[in-house]
Amino acid sequence: MSVVIKAENISKQYRLGMVGTGTIKDDLKRWYYNVRGKEDPFLKIGDANDRSSKGDSDYVWSLRDINFEINQGDSVGIIGRNGAGKSTLLKILSQVTQPTTGKIYTKGRIASLLEVGTGFHPEMTGRENIFLNGAILGMRKHEIIRKFDEIVDFSGVERYIDTPVKRYSSGMYVRLAFAVAAHLESEILIVDEVLAVGDAEFQKKCLGKMSDVSKGEGRTVLFVSHNIGAVNTLTNKCMYLRNGNLIEYDTTDKIIPIYLNDDLNNIRGLKEFDNTPNLNENKPIQLTKCRFSIANDIVEVEVEYVVRKSVGSVVALQIINAKEVSIITLIDTDRDSDIFKRSEGSYMVKFTLPLSILAPDIFKITLSFSDMKSERFDYHRDILVFEKNNTDANLTRDGIIFSDPKLIGETKKLYLGN
Amino acid sequence: MNQNNENWDLVIKGKTNLFDLRLKEVWRYRDLLRMFIRRDFVTVYKQTILGPLWFFIQPIITTLTFTIIFGNLAKIPTDGAPKLIFYMSGITIWGYFSTCLVDVSKVFISNSAIFGKVYFPRLIMPLTIIISNLMKFGVQFIMFLCFFAYFYNQGTIHPNLWVFFLPFILLIMAVMSMGIGLILSSLTTKYRDLTMLIAFGIQLFMYATPIIYPLSTVPEKYKWIVQLNPLVPIFEYMRYAYLGVGNFQITSLVYSVVFSIVILALGVVIFNKVQKSFMDTV
């Protein structure tokens, strides 16, 4: 197994706040140190990248001393909470930005899919865009010509190939864009959350293509996603980043439990959430408080909110399990939010759900106030957490919905025989 | 670190040599350059009512304005050439130079979305601008040739064989505008105010260049200052070759050539340094 990517002490520093004020001053200082042959003074300072605590310095380290080696044919997932430095690492690898210190050695062509459809021009036809996008991603014209039919076939938009892409539905757009990228002949493929769009069928197709790429064709894939399920199926190794540091780098089945455990430890045991310190007079509708309780096998969530301006909005409560699978969404009204314009004042809504239907797991609750179409008035992710313990260790079944032992299928013997 | 002796294809690192320009890579991406130019060709007329007519309207109106204000009201001499064609000759090539310069200077800002997503040699973008703008120039030059033919028939202008030298002059302008544009683009990523200054500065610079007046009207005492402007020989060439007026000297053209090459080299080096980290500042 040969090493295709080798990173040595990769660090990336960002400057916070307004670029512009004080830039010239810092630049001159940096230049003055440089002229005298000294080290950049700003490299010595800087906080670890932790959003929740307010740092003293204007400079933060988005990545700090990252070292790793990736072998050819490996499929590596990069996981971590938002702001852990995943995207920064991918940006450095795909040469969009450069590291502040350190070096990365690579072998073979790198293709990055930081966002599909980069450089698509809405006025040009699908055909023209395949060539343009392919060229942007580093393909030569003859390569694209050779792969053209395959690309069109994979995307499934043959009928519209000579139509400007501005007439495409967003799904078709993404299909075409992913198709081009998936047919790149590169030794290393970098993928960042491209699967967030497109329908389930196409997502499956993309995942299939990606696993072909890594397993079948022996190419190296780096994959960033919040979808732990996808990371689990697609990768054999995983990097876990937290606040810009590489916590662990090992096989996927070892890393994912560490990550999930860490992730939940941060928020476990939240039974109440008080939003009153964060109230903002400009928001037409806003959460004030929510409480959670379990009694008699019923999960009960009380949500208090204030309406400052009558807008059509529904209160939605989403339950997500530890693997980031959305279990169910409860809504306070019917779907048509126009009818449910509430007048100004404070309200309380109570959601209930029988606990028995949930498979033993840890669940996170997200609340959102939106008009179900375009506008989201207030949003709170993972504010409550509860756990359903596995009361009977022998009782494990796959799935997110759980059935009571009494409700399992009935068995009847149909005929006698051996 | 014995592994570092292997043949790595690419080393990504923080500090790179100032002269590591990776021009070979630009050549490898020549298909992309072709695609971008094609894109510009294909999409330029889309969803406009007058389409390519816009290319004509602007220089014609500018020419007429100049003829009326500077020619008829201010009565600035034109070395004896007909006013209309005198102004038009200057405006046509100035249009190419200034558009290239302004567009190149904004290359990081207008392409930040795509630059932030995918890597390709950034020099491809300025090159695209320089070449795509030739199309616009070509259209305007054809219009100039129509007026040129009309005045030639009347016998009021006296072109000579130098007219066929134009492609070389265009090359000098392309190199020069790209060089200056690259330097400015590198500064605008950090100091955004410069974009305002450039738009304003290019207007002022037009008056420092003999476009609305011939070099011969500049007092002898100050002539050397005006001649420091490397664009002067280009405009004097245009009048000399196509209208048969003015004092065009091959020696001053050599100055323009040297200036362009130096400024382009400088521009490419600075651009190359900035392009690696501009995503963090833009």
Side-chain angles (χ1 to χ4, degrees):
Chain A
M1 281 282 222
S2 64
V3 177
V4 287
I5 302 178
K6 180 181 160 79
E8 282 176 0
N9 303 318
I10 291 298
S11 296
K12 177 79 188 172
Q13 190 184 49
Y14 278 106
R15 191 179 185 283
L16 288 184
M18 275 275 290
V19 173
T21 51
T23 359
I24 292 190
K25 200 181 91 197
D26 281 3
D27 281 353
L28 289 176
K29 197 165 165 189
R30 198 174 268 141
W31 175 78
Y32 181 56
Y33 272 72
N34 211 348
V35 167
R36 292 184 301 165
K38 289 194 180 178
E39 211 186 318
D40 188 337
F42 297 104
L43 289 185
K44 290 178 191 144
I45 55 174
D47 294 325
N49 184 14
D50 186 357
R51 281 168 301 142
S52 40
S53 67
K54 194 164 159 42
D56 308 319
S57 172
D58 268 354
Y59 293 86
V60 291
W61 292 98
S62 176
L63 286 176
R64 193 98 210 224
D65 293 331
I66 308 282
N67 289 284
F68 59 84
E69 282 182 8
I70 294 174
N71 292 324
Q72 197 220 323
D74 267 355
S75 171
V76 180
I78 303 174
I79 54 177
R81 286 186 77 88
N82 286 333
K86 305 183 296 285
S87 298
T88 309
L89 184 58
L90 288 203
K91 277 188 176 168
I92 291 174
L93 277 168
S94 49
Q95 299 184 71
V96 165
T97 185
Q98 62 175 167
T100 313
T101 65
K103 284 180 182 172
I104 299 179
Y105 302 89
T106 62
K107 232 180 259 174
R109 205 154 85 170
I110 302 180
S112 64
L113 269 171
L114 295 195
E115 200 170 282
V116 290
T118 310
F120 264 38
H121 195 291
E123 298 285 356
M124 297 205 303
T125 66
R127 182 188 302 276
E128 289 166 328
N129 269 312
I130 289 179
F131 280 95
L132 178 65
N133 191 233
I136 289 175
L137 294 171
M139 278 198 261
R140 296 297 315 276
K141 196 175 175 184
H142 56 83
E143 287 177 67
I144 308 172
I145 293 173
R146 206 176 59 230
K147 296 240 166 179
F148 187 81
D149 291 336
E150 232 179 294
I151 293 173
V152 176
D153 200 43
F154 185 86
S155 68
V157 296
E158 289 101 321
R159 265 192 80 182
Y160 304 94
I161 201 68
D162 289 311
T163 310
V165 294
K166 64 176 176 181
R167 307 260 177 259
Y168 281 29
S169 73
S170 55
M172 282 159 64
Y173 192 91
V174 174
R175 276 154 184 270
L176 188 65
F178 186 85
V180 181
H183 289 84
L184 274 173
E185 283 183 338
S186 64
E187 284 75 31
I188 302 168
L189 186 66
I190 299 177
V191 186
D192 186 6
E193 299 277 16
V194 283
L195 305 173
V197 272
D199 55 22
E201 179 221 356
F202 188 70
Q203 284 189 8
K204 225 170 164 182
K205 207 167 163 186
C206 296
L207 289 173
K209 179 75 193 172
M210 279 181 53
S211 77
D212 284 355
V213 163
S214 61
K215 292 184 185 120
E217 301 168 26
R219 290 198 265 164
T220 310
V221 177
L222 270 85
F223 180 54
V224 163
S225 179
H226 285 114
N227 184 346
I228 297 298
V231 171
N232 205 2
T233 47
L234 281 177
T235 64
N236 58 356
K237 283 185 143 191
C238 243
M239 264 181 232
Y240 172 26
L241 295 177
R242 189 173 61 207
N243 296 338
N245 296 302
L246 181 60
I247 304 291
E248 287 272 5
Y249 175 41
D250 209 329
T251 53
T252 302
D253 34 316
K254 281 187 191 153
I255 296 293
I256 286 187
I258 299 177
Y259 167 70
L260 290 178
N261 203 30
D262 250 26
D263 191 33
L264 291 170
N265 271 338
N266 287 334
I267 48 176
R268 197 196 299 263
L270 295 174
K271 296 257 180 279
E272 245 185 74
F273 180 78
D274 189 1
N275 196 36
T276 37
N278 308 320
L279 288 182
N280 175 355
E281 289 297 320
N282 294 326
K283 286 193 177 178
I285 181 165
Q286 203 174 22
L287 173 75
T288 45
K289 263 179 207 164
C290 59
R291 259 183 315 279
F292 159 85
S293 63
I294 300 180
N296 299 331
D297 202 38
I298 298 285
V299 179
E300 203 175 273
V301 183
E302 288 176 356
V303 178
E304 287 178 32
Y305 61 98
V306 57
V307 177
R308 300 196 183 86
K309 211 175 99 195
S310 184
V311 285
S313 172
V314 300
V315 184
L317 178 146
Q318 193 185 19
I319 298 183
I320 299 163
N321 75 6
K323 287 196 169 131
E324 299 285 328
V325 178
S326 175
I327 310 286
I328 193 168
T329 303
L330 306 170
I331 296 175
D332 69 329
T333 65
D334 203 272
R335 285 193 76 91
D336 192 353
S337 59
D338 283 341
I339 306 169
F340 290 92
K341 281 192 177 165
R342 297 190 196 283
S343 55
E344 285 134 67
S346 293
Y347 294 87
M348 202 265 277
V349 52
K350 194 191 279 181
F351 294 99
T352 54
L353 181 78
L355 186 65
S356 59
I357 64 161
L358 297 172
D361 205 341
I362 294 164
F363 301 94
K364 301 179 276 187
I365 293 177
T366 294
L367 277 174
S368 89
F369 296 77
S370 77
D371 66 0
M372 304 288 287
K373 290 182 209 101
S374 54
E375 196 140 4
R376 185 193 266 173
F377 304 106
D378 202 11
Y379 180 75
H380 299 273
R381 195 192 151 103
D382 301 347
I383 50 170
L384 300 174
V385 175
F386 66 96
E387 191 168 357
K388 180 176 176 184
N389 292 319
N390 201 348
T391 44
D392 184 352
N394 296 324
L395 205 68
T396 52
R397 290 186 206 101
D398 201 26
I400 53 171
I401 297 292
F402 199 68
S403 76
D404 199 274
K406 280 171 282 178
L407 298 177
I408 56 174
E410 266 177 57
T411 311
K412 243 186 213 167
K413 200 167 190 177
L414 290 179
Y415 58 90
L416 294 166
N418 11 334
Chain B
M1 298 275 160
N2 48 359
Q3 227 170 358
N4 285 359
N5 301 328
E6 284 184 50
N7 298 325
W8 299 103
D9 289 337
L10 175 73
V11 181
I12 302 167
K13 55 188 173 183
K15 294 209 168 55
T16 41
N17 191 337
L18 208 55
F19 296 100
D20 179 17
L21 300 176
R22 292 161 78 173
L23 292 178
K24 233 186 232 161
E25 205 179 37
V26 178
W27 175 244
R28 226 184 54 219
Y29 272 80
R30 59 191 183 278
D31 281 345
L32 178 60
L33 177 63
R34 226 171 286 152
M35 293 296 166
F36 274 136
I37 294 165
R38 206 185 123 74
R39 176 196 67 182
D40 289 349
F41 269 78
V42 171
T43 57
V44 73
Y45 307 131
K46 293 273 168 80
Q47 298 219 335
T48 57
I49 297 167
L50 295 177
L53 271 183
W54 284 112
F55 287 168
F56 296 103
I57 293 169
Q58 194 214 349
I60 284 189
I61 293 189
T62 318
T63 304
L64 288 176
T65 318
F66 281 14
T67 310
I68 292 165
I69 295 178
F70 300 117
N72 293 346
L73 293 177
K75 297 212 182 349
I76 297 173
T78 55
D79 276 352
K83 290 189 183 77
L84 195 72
I85 197 85
F86 178 89
Y87 292 122
M88 191 176 261
S89 69
I91 287 163
T92 309
I93 53 172
W94 173 257
Y96 178 67
F97 177 82
S98 63
T99 332
C100 284
L101 196 153
V102 172
D103 287 356
V104 171
S105 74
K106 286 192 291 202
V107 73
F108 281 121
I109 295 165
S110 42
N111 291 295
S112 62
I114 185 168
F115 282 2
K117 294 288 169 359
V118 60
Y119 175 80
F120 53 85
R122 306 308 192 207
L123 265 181
I124 293 286
M125 271 306 178
L127 285 171
T128 306
I129 293 168
I130 297 294
I131 298 171
S132 293
N133 271 324
L134 276 179
M135 159 180 64
K136 188 173 154 192
F137 172 80
V139 174
Q140 295 181 346
F141 186 69
I142 289 169
M143 182 182 69
F144 168 76
L145 283 184
C146 295
F147 282 86
F148 171 78
Y150 170 79
F151 283 103
Y152 182 64
N153 259 341
Q154 292 210 320
T156 43
I157 51 176
H158 315 284
N160 51 45
L161 279 179
W162 278 99
V163 292
F164 299 108
F165 198 59
L166 185 74
F168 183 70
I169 294 289
L170 271 181
L171 184 68
I172 300 174
M173 280 205 298
V175 168
M176 202 190 300
S177 58
M178 180 160 155
I180 301 172
L182 287 179
I183 295 172
L184 294 175
S185 74
S186 309
L187 295 170
T188 47
T189 58
K190 241 184 176 173
Y191 311 110
R192 200 63 67 90
D193 320 14
L194 269 178
T195 42
M196 309 289 166
L197 198 66
I198 290 167
F200 179 60
I202 195 97
Q203 293 249 301
L204 288 184
F205 192 54
M206 194 188 85
Y207 293 103
T209 309
I211 294 168
I212 53 162
Y213 55 89
L215 189 62
S216 58
T217 55
V218 179
E220 207 58 46
K221 219 166 38 170
Y222 303 114
K223 207 169 239 169
W224 67 274
I225 301 178
V226 176
Q227 274 179 320
L228 279 182
N229 179 351
L231 281 176
V232 170
I234 289 170
F235 286 87
E236 286 301 305
Y237 156 81
M238 197 68 190
R239 274 88 178 245
Y240 178 74
Y242 286 82
L243 314 180
V245 298
N247 51 351
F248 165 67
Q249 290 149 346
I250 201 87
T251 46
S252 51
L253 193 66
V254 171
Y255 165 66
S256 293
V257 173
V258 173
F259 179 89
S260 320
I261 293 170
V262 171
I263 204 88
L264 180 70
L266 194 66
V268 169
V269 169
I270 295 177
F271 181 85
N272 191 56
K273 185 167 166 49
V274 168
Q275 59 101 353
K276 288 175 198 144
S277 62
F278 95 98
M279 268 324 290
D280 309 334
T281 49
V282 77

